Structure formats: C-alpha cells, structure tokens
Amino acid sequence: DIQMTQSPSFLSASVGDRVTINCKASQNINKYLNWYQQKLGEAPKRLIYNTNNLQTGIPSRFSGSGSGTDYTLTISSLQPEDFATYFCLQHNSFPWTFGGGTKLELK
Amino acid sequence: EVQLVETGGGLVQPGKSLKLTCATSGFTFSTAWMHWVRQSPEKRLEWIARIKDKSNNYATDYVESVKGRFTISRDDSKSSVYLQMNSLKEEDTATYYCTTVGPAYWGQGTLVTVSS
C-alpha cells in the first residue's frame, strides 16, 4: 500500500498569511493527488484534483503543485473560513490512501 | 443537484452485522464507480471499498482490513449502493461515507459504533 505522510499535523496562522501543506507518498503516484477541506461535522470537500486542478467553485487562493512523490497545497492569503482540517488523497492505486490531516488553526 | 444520503448506522455489538445504504440522485448513477470511505473517531480517513459499473462487470475492491467481512453492492434501478458489514469489530467504529466521481461528491456520513 502507498503511505501518505502529511505535514505539518497542526498549523497556526493568521488571516492573510500564506500557508503550505505537504504530502509525501511512499512511491510515485503520477499526480493522482487530491486535496480536501473538512470542517467540524461535515464531509470532506474536494478543493484540488489531480495535483493542480481547482474544483469548480473553490476560490483561486487555493492551489496545488507537485509531482512524483511530493505534493503541496498552498493557500495564498488565509481567510477566516479557511480554518479547518485538510487531507490529501492518493488515487493512483488501490487501496487509495489518505494523509493524516493538517489542522489549520487561528493564531 | 448531486445528493448522497447514507443510512443504516447505529450501535452494534462486536461480531454482529449491519448494512449501510447510500441513496443517490442528481448524476448518472449507472455509470458511476461508487466508494465507501470511513473516518475514525480520531479523524483518520480510510478508503474501504469500491464497486465499478455494469460495463466493468461490477468489479469490487476492498482494503485489506475489511476483506472477507464487508461486501459492497449496488442497485442501479434504485441509484443506491450498499455496504454489508459482518463480524464487526470495535475498530470498525467510524463515520461511514459514500462517495463518487473523483471523489468529489460525498454524503453526510452515518455513524457506526461497535461496542458491547
């Protein structure tokens, strides 16, 4: 199984900050990497698919990059509604596997 | 509007069975590959099963931890996908989501608690 190591697990930031969250796969996942945002009591919401494609309706301050085993989610200027937990998902091969999550908190 | 609604969760004793249902609407269910994903109380996400469409012979895949105990199935006439869970263990306690297309579309989840 492909292991997804997500970092950091916790991130404290302020409104307006630029933040990055990373996921490292244990092998090449060929850019089949999605990013999700989850708020308390809600299902995950897809932000980015296949590394760098923005989901319809998601603000352009969210972006993704990466290749091979290393992937990054960037939020260019944090807004109050962005404080949530973020997960990566590799869907290159079964079983699909998720990162452990990054909880983004207000500093 | 795409909707996925999971039902069937609840409190169940170890070793018992439970069947989850995900009723869908708003997209072409018959050609969609459907998945179940669960989230533990510690908030870890785990993909557990997938079923393909008719043109792919309804092929299924499972994560190792549920193989032989869980069965995913679908009824295209009802636009619904199911998860039959047998021999439940305490570590199966989680919120179970059905999801599809990407997966971009998720239900709201149903909580399964396995405890004596």
Side-chain angles (χ1 to χ4, degrees), chain A residues 34 36 38 42-44 46 55 87 89 91 94-96 98-100, chain B residues 35 37 39 43-47 50 63 97 101-104 106-107:
Chain A
N34 295 351
Y36 294 84
Q38 188 177 31
E42 298 181 4
R46 193 173 73 172
Q55 180 71 26
F87 294 94
L89 164 69
H91 58 107
F94 285 108
W96 290 357
F98 291 86
Chain B
H35 306 257
V37 171
Q39 187 166 37
K43 302 303 181 186
R44 293 198 70 90
L45 288 162
E46 180 181 38
W47 171 88
R50 182 219 60 207
V63 71
Y97 295 99
V101 190
W106 296 62

Side-chain angles (χ1 to χ4, degrees), chain A residues 13-80:
Chain A
S14 301
V15 173
D17 284 354
R18 177 185 180 91
V19 300
T20 59
I21 298 170
N22 300 292
C23 267
K24 186 175 184 65
S26 59
Q27 63 191 70
N28 182 8
I29 56 172
N30 299 301
K31 296 192 171 186
Y32 288 105
L33 190 285
N34 295 351
W35 289 99
Y36 294 84
Q37 178 193 69
Q38 188 177 31
K39 296 182 178 179
L40 198 62
E42 298 181 4
K45 178 169 70 175
R46 193 173 73 172
L47 304 174
I48 302 283
Y49 62 96
N50 297 344
T51 295
N52 55 10
N53 295 280
L54 192 66
Q55 180 71 26
T56 301
I58 300 301
S60 59
R61 63 180 179 273
F62 291 92
S63 63
S65 63
S67 63
T69 61
D70 294 293
Y71 298 84
T72 299
L73 172 70
T74 300
I75 310 173
S76 60
S77 178
L78 275 173
Q79 298 302 300

Side-chain angles (χ1 to χ4, degrees), chain B residues 18-20 36 49 51 60 62 66-74 81-86:
Chain B
L18 207 59
K19 185 174 184 177
L20 306 182
W36 286 96
I51 186 165
T60 57
Y62 299 91
V66 308
K67 274 182 187 175
R69 299 189 300 123
F70 289 12
T71 302
I72 187 172
S73 61
R74 62 191 292 161
V81 62
Y82 308 97
L83 187 68
Q84 176 67 46
M85 304 185 294
N86 299 331

